[in-house]
Amino acid sequence: MERLQKVIASSGITSRRKAEDLIKNGKVKVNGEIITELGTKVSDKDKIEVNNILIAKEEKEYYLLNKPRGVVSTTSDDKGRKTVVDLIPTKARIYPVGRLDYDTTGALLLTNDGEFANILMHPKNEIDKVYMAKLEGIIKVDAINKLKEGVIINDIEVKASRVKLKKVNKNTNTCLVQITIHEGKNHQVKNMFESVGYPVIKLKREKEGIFSLENLNAGEYRKLTRKEIAQVYNLKKK
Ligand code: URA
């Protein structure tokens, strides 16, 4: 289910602001009935008319991108930097499901399906987000345990569901650690490691839910299959 004004705007006929005005002014019908309430939620099955003309709904599109470094995870950037949406040639109004930092690489989903995005982002669905982090220093067992028990970041407790030390390089005094989390707060992984004394040098998301990078190189993308989309819908917890 999506908000009526969003569905009208994504049909391309007008902006979201103007869609809100149309709703308030009684110009929008859902299944033949005038709706003036802005928060109204509609589904794909609802028939939406604006000024008595049926709107064409945008086809849903779903992509998995291996985000390269140096690209922002937004649909536009006020500093003119390249965005993840620029990497996928489509007319659909897709947007990234959550964010990866400018310097983080790896698995990022993009879609114009709000419900699909919500399922992946809502912490109650406990979708695994698996990252490989290169750390300054060689992490100790007590720091790993603290990450699993929970650390406080910006007054909120966050924890890792799994942490595994994968590789140690004594010469450079660095290590590779795989960490799995369920939330997607801003800079969460970097802040978590920093809070236990190990700054992140490099970060890559290896997997989000059922989606891993497989053989996608940085900057490459693929469409999701119908089966994968259905699998995500099945992950929704009541
Ligand atoms: N956590 C971070 O710190 N950065 C990311 O890009 C993703 C998760």
Side-chain angles (χ1 to χ4, degrees):
M1 300 285 272
E2 282 190 296
R3 290 161 85 83
L4 184 53
Q5 57 267 42
K6 189 169 172 222
V7 175
I8 295 172
S10 64
S11 75
I13 60 163
T14 187
S15 67
R16 197 178 304 193
R17 270 278 325 276
K18 294 211 174 108
E20 287 176 0
D21 291 340
L22 288 163
I23 296 169
K24 282 192 271 184
N25 294 330
K27 305 288 184 199
V28 176
K29 284 185 197 162
V30 176
N31 303 324
E33 217 181 281
I34 293 175
I35 297 290
T36 53
E37 203 174 310
L38 283 183
T40 304
K41 296 264 178 93
V42 288
S43 80
D44 274 354
K45 295 188 191 87
D46 290 316
K47 207 178 99 186
I48 300 161
E49 289 164 88
V50 175
N51 287 326
N52 295 319
I53 296 166
L54 201 61
I55 64 162
K57 283 184 213 142
E58 190 174 75
E59 287 288 313
K60 301 287 188 230
E61 296 189 8
Y62 307 83
Y63 300 92
L64 171 64
L65 169 73
N66 183 348
K67 178 193 170 295
R69 194 165 291 124
V71 177
V72 282
S73 297
T74 47
T75 51
S76 64
D77 184 55
D78 48 15
K79 295 189 192 129
R81 292 173 298 182
K82 199 176 224 187
T83 76
V84 286
V85 169
D86 294 333
L87 299 175
I88 299 177
T90 174
K91 289 209 167 66
R93 293 160 191 238
I94 57 167
Y95 49 85
V97 178
R99 284 187 183 190
L100 290 179
D101 294 336
Y102 190 65
D103 59 352
T104 300
T105 60
L108 183 67
L109 293 158
L110 295 102
T111 185
N112 53 353
D113 180 346
E115 193 171 354
F116 177 90
N118 285 339
I119 294 170
L120 288 162
M121 286 198 292
H122 204 297
K124 83 170 175 206
N125 294 322
E126 298 189 340
I127 307 291
D128 279 350
K129 294 166 180 95
V130 184
Y131 294 86
M132 186 64 80
K134 183 177 180 187
L135 306 182
E136 217 175 285
I138 295 163
I139 197 166
K140 297 218 172 74
V141 175
D142 61 345
I144 291 181
N145 289 339
K146 261 195 215 160
L147 292 169
K148 290 193 210 160
E149 281 156 18
V151 290
I152 308 288
I153 311 280
N154 301 327
D155 297 332
I156 296 170
E157 187 184 63
V158 285
K159 54 176 90 167
S161 60
R162 249 172 295 139
V163 184
K164 271 191 202 160
L165 176 59
K166 289 286 195 183
K167 220 178 190 177
V168 167
N169 188 332
K170 286 197 175 142
N171 293 331
T172 54
N173 192 36
T174 58
C175 66
L176 280 181
V177 178
Q178 190 185 56
I179 182 167
T180 304
I181 56 173
H182 291 152
E183 310 96 335
K185 305 214 183 319
N186 257 354
H187 315 304
Q188 183 170 335
V189 173
K190 290 178 187 166
N191 288 339
M192 287 174 80
F193 280 117
E194 183 86 46
S195 77
V196 292
Y198 299 90
V200 171
I201 302 168
K202 248 186 186 179
L203 189 62
K204 178 180 189 176
R205 181 151 70 193
E206 295 185 326
K207 200 168 177 216
E208 175 160 22
I210 56 170
F211 303 101
S212 52
L213 290 167
E214 298 141 23
N215 39 20
L216 287 179
N217 293 317
E220 290 182 345
Y221 65 89
R222 70 166 175 88
K223 282 193 167 183
L224 304 191
T225 64
R226 276 165 177 253
K227 190 173 163 200
E228 288 171 327
I229 298 159
Q231 277 175 298
V232 169
Y233 270 90
N234 284 335
L235 294 172
K236 191 172 168 180
K237 289 193 180 143
K238 294 278 148 31

